[in-house]
Amino acid sequence: MENERFRDSISTVTNEGKRSWVYPKKPSGSLYEYRKHVSYVLLAFLFVSPFIKINGNQFLMFNVLERRFNIFGATFWPQDFYLFVVIMLIGVVFILLFTVAFGRIFCGWICPQTIFMEMVFRRVEYLIEGDRGKQIRLDKQPWNAEKIRKKTLKWSVFFLISFLIANVFLAYLISSDRLLLYIQEGPAAHLSTFVSLLIFTGVFYFVFAWFREQVCVIACPYGRLQGVLLDNKSIVVAYDHKRGEKEKGRAKFKKNEDREASGKGDCIDCFQCVNVCPTGIDIRNGTQLECVNCTACIDACNQMMEAVDLPKGLIRYASEENIEKKAKFTFTPRLKGYSAVLFILISVLTGMLFLRSDVEANILRLPGQLYEHKENNVISNVYTYKLINKTSQDYEDVNFKLVSHNGEIRTVKDHGILVPKNGLAEGTLFIEINRSALKEEKDKVEIAVYSGEKLIETTSTTFMGPRSYN
């Protein structure tokens, strides 16, 4: 009966509903080495990106407070929100496509939670407290000098790493230049920012020192999506039960035994795949929501298969259909559908980026103001303008010209307007048009924006005049 409950319970919770602490064995093997290389490249990218500049712009920045975002050195403003919507849709469809094809591979190889947990915090833990057995014995022993020393050292290092991560994330939010300035000026000069930094440090410390794999099992909705997205053709980390169980099931390894003749499966029930799992599951029970496809069980099983002179690959990347029918991976209609949607979205985004203007011009009538009669039957309207420069160069001597009507545009400034790089300029202007040129009570007028003699943007607004009785 115990074996029938594995599909109705979470590996990190006991039958009494308490937390079951996971002590994974330190992994090793070829796939783990590949994961380390991928993880260190991604960690380097994460830590270096805020300090890389392209044409004076931070490589990646997500300044929510000032509503300014840099992606690969290009600056985006709130007016470009539609681009973010398309980018987010592309990201969602991309993850859906890879999940349908390769399961939760994103979680095991790319997700920041997994990378920080397994390649940073867990490795620090192995270095200070030792491998699985030593960690279990340390937690069970009383609080003596050794335990106090090791726990204090581990928690201190965890806090320092969490503080470093919080600083890096702050660089993404407020820019690396401002972060370095705040560090030079000291916490006292920017107390609110420092308090926020400590709060984020506390959150990271809580996640990586205590909550750990529960993020993947309980908090992250992506794991729940697996049940909807996966099918029997999806390639996941899977146990080959056909080979592992055979007629007589799994059994311990016995020297000089003819295992093939005995009818026993190739699984020698060594539990190495369970001991090495960072979420504490038994992969032999099939695909489970807790599995993050980290491949630690594959390396552990391959090492044991080599040790007992049995073929490797008892646990491997495979689909249910591959295990049951030896079927190869095929590009299913479902995958083709996701690929088509992804291609369309990428094409739309590419077109939008090409059509995106370097300068955004918004000209709006001043609220509450009516038109004004002037000499020679001229009607005047007052407007506010906002010019947003999305490039890394200044636009000087910016001026406005009316292109749809015979008229004049006057600004409060006598000289040309300066729109700084990655900045904005705003002010007031007047549009004056002879009444005879107006066709309706509300006319749409087209305005061209020039930098010197160079056209940089066109926009439109509404011009109000007296009602015509013709």
Side-chain angles (χ1 to χ4, degrees):
M1 186 65 181
E2 182 68 27
N3 291 334
E4 296 299 323
R5 288 206 294 263
F6 67 85
R7 296 189 187 277
D8 300 321
S9 61
I10 298 176
S11 60
T12 54
V13 178
T14 65
N15 293 333
E16 293 76 28
K18 296 181 180 179
R19 170 79 177 273
S20 177
W21 196 266
V22 178
Y23 299 92
K25 182 182 177 183
K26 185 177 180 180
S28 62
S30 59
L31 288 173
Y32 183 66
E33 291 300 315
Y34 290 137
R35 280 181 60 218
K36 283 201 298 187
H37 296 152
V38 172
S39 298
Y40 293 151
V41 168
L42 292 175
L43 284 172
F45 179 81
L46 177 71
F47 281 92
V48 171
S49 289
F51 303 96
I52 297 175
K53 299 290 180 68
I54 297 179
N55 295 326
N57 294 331
Q58 187 168 309
F59 185 67
L60 288 175
M61 185 180 71
F62 307 95
N63 193 332
V64 179
L65 298 177
E66 297 180 2
R67 297 178 297 172
R68 176 185 164 191
F69 307 90
N70 288 351
I71 300 178
F72 305 139
T75 303
F76 294 87
W77 296 82
Q79 290 78 4
D80 299 313
F81 180 74
Y82 63 94
L83 292 173
F84 280 96
V85 174
V86 178
I87 291 171
M88 289 178 66
L89 287 174
I90 289 173
V92 170
V93 175
F94 186 79
I95 291 176
L96 291 178
L97 173 63
F98 264 75
T99 302
V100 171
F102 304 111
R104 210 170 169 180
I105 193 170
F106 171 85
C107 298
W109 291 74
I110 302 175
C111 177
Q113 161 69 21
T114 304
I115 290 175
F116 276 119
M117 186 69 251
E118 301 303 321
M119 299 299 173
V120 179
F121 288 88
R122 196 87 78 180
R123 289 178 68 83
V124 170
E125 196 166 57
Y126 290 137
L127 185 64
I128 296 174
E129 295 186 354
D131 209 341
R132 168 184 164 84
K134 292 181 178 179
Q135 290 180 23
I136 295 174
R137 288 192 294 273
L138 184 68
D139 281 358
K140 287 182 178 180
Q141 73 184 49
W143 283 92
N144 52 24
E146 179 194 11
K147 186 172 183 176
I148 292 173
R149 186 184 76 254
K150 288 185 176 180
K151 291 293 184 182
T152 302
L153 177 60
K154 184 183 80 169
W155 293 336
S156 300
V157 174
F158 278 10
F159 183 84
L160 290 175
I161 297 174
S162 300
F163 185 72
L164 176 62
I165 296 172
N167 274 274
V168 171
F169 273 82
L170 188 62
Y172 280 100
L173 294 177
I174 66 172
S175 84
S176 56
D177 292 339
R178 191 176 298 180
L179 174 65
L180 295 175
L181 178 64
Y182 286 2
I183 293 173
Q184 290 175 3
E185 294 177 350
H190 306 280
L191 192 58
S192 60
T193 303
F194 184 68
V195 171
S196 301
L197 185 65
L198 290 179
I199 291 173
F200 276 104
T201 300
V203 170
F204 287 125
Y205 180 82
F206 168 76
V207 167
F208 294 114
W210 189 82
F211 205 48
R212 305 191 139 197
E213 73 285 337
Q214 300 290 82
V215 173
C216 307
V217 176
I218 297 174
C220 180
Y222 182 50
R224 299 296 193 275
L225 282 174
Q226 280 194 112
V228 178
L229 298 174
L230 297 183
D231 56 30
N232 61 355
K233 295 179 175 62
S234 301
I235 296 176
V236 295
V237 172
Y239 165 68
D240 189 344
H241 60 89
K242 290 277 190 179
R243 177 187 149 195
E245 309 294 322
K246 292 185 179 177
E247 297 85 9
K248 297 291 183 67
R250 65 186 76 145
K252 295 289 185 182
F253 176 76
K254 293 181 180 179
K255 196 172 182 180
N256 298 324
E257 180 186 32
D258 188 347
R259 204 169 182 89
E260 185 72 27
S262 69
K264 296 176 182 178
D266 283 359
C267 178
I268 62 174
D269 215 18
C270 62
F271 278 89
Q272 292 302 305
C273 59
V274 180
N275 294 338
V276 81
C277 180
T279 57
I281 66 169
D282 189 340
I283 193 63
R284 298 173 297 178
N285 290 335
T287 302
Q288 297 151 72
L289 67 87
E290 298 100 318
C291 179
V292 294
N293 284 25
C294 69
T295 69
C297 56
I298 296 179
D299 280 331
C301 185
N302 284 342
Q303 290 171 5
M304 293 306 299
M305 291 294 101
E306 280 187 328
V308 297
D309 198 24
L310 289 172
K312 295 190 292 185
L314 182 59
I315 302 175
R316 63 182 186 273
Y317 274 122
S319 65
E320 182 181 334
E321 196 174 61
N322 174 259
I323 291 173
E324 294 285 350
K325 304 175 183 178
K326 304 298 181 184
K328 295 183 179 180
F329 175 76
T330 57
F331 206 61
T332 63
R334 192 179 177 197
L335 290 175
K336 292 176 182 177
Y338 281 124
S339 300
V341 173
L342 185 63
F343 176 78
I344 292 170
L345 287 173
I346 292 175
S347 300
V348 170
L349 177 63
T350 303
M352 287 179 171
L353 289 174
F354 275 110
L355 294 173
R356 177 177 177 261
S357 59
D358 291 336
V359 175
E360 183 90 17
N362 291 307
I363 300 177
L364 301 172
R365 291 189 72 258
L366 196 63
Q369 296 293 319
L370 296 176
Y371 57 86
E372 179 185 357
H373 283 279
K374 304 191 77 172
E375 294 180 355
N376 300 322
N377 207 26
V378 170
I379 306 299
S380 176
N381 281 207
V382 60
Y383 298 82
T384 58
Y385 68 83
K386 181 182 288 186
L387 302 174
I388 299 174
N389 186 355
K390 303 174 184 177
T391 69
S392 56
Q393 65 177 24
D394 294 334
Y395 280 103
E396 300 177 347
D397 192 24
V398 175
N399 56 88
F400 304 92
K401 292 182 181 179
L402 196 60
V403 295
S404 59
H405 295 70
N406 289 324
E408 184 182 355
I409 297 179
R410 294 189 298 106
T411 60
V412 175
K413 296 181 179 179
D414 296 330
H415 53 82
I417 301 164
L418 171 66
V419 187
K421 61 182 180 181
N422 297 316
L424 61 88
E426 49 190 343
T428 305
L429 60 81
F430 298 88
I431 300 179
E432 298 176 351
I433 302 175
N434 193 285
R435 182 176 178 178
S436 62
L438 300 175
K439 298 177 181 178
E440 299 179 4
E441 184 181 355
K442 291 183 179 180
D443 269 24
K444 182 180 179 181
V445 293
E446 300 289 336
I447 301 167
V449 184
Y450 286 84
S451 175
E453 298 298 322
K454 179 184 177 182
L455 178 65
I456 57 175
E457 175 65 324
T458 57
T459 186
S460 63
T461 188
T462 302
F463 187 91
M464 291 188 65
R467 181 177 298 177
S468 175
Y469 294 98
N470 294 335

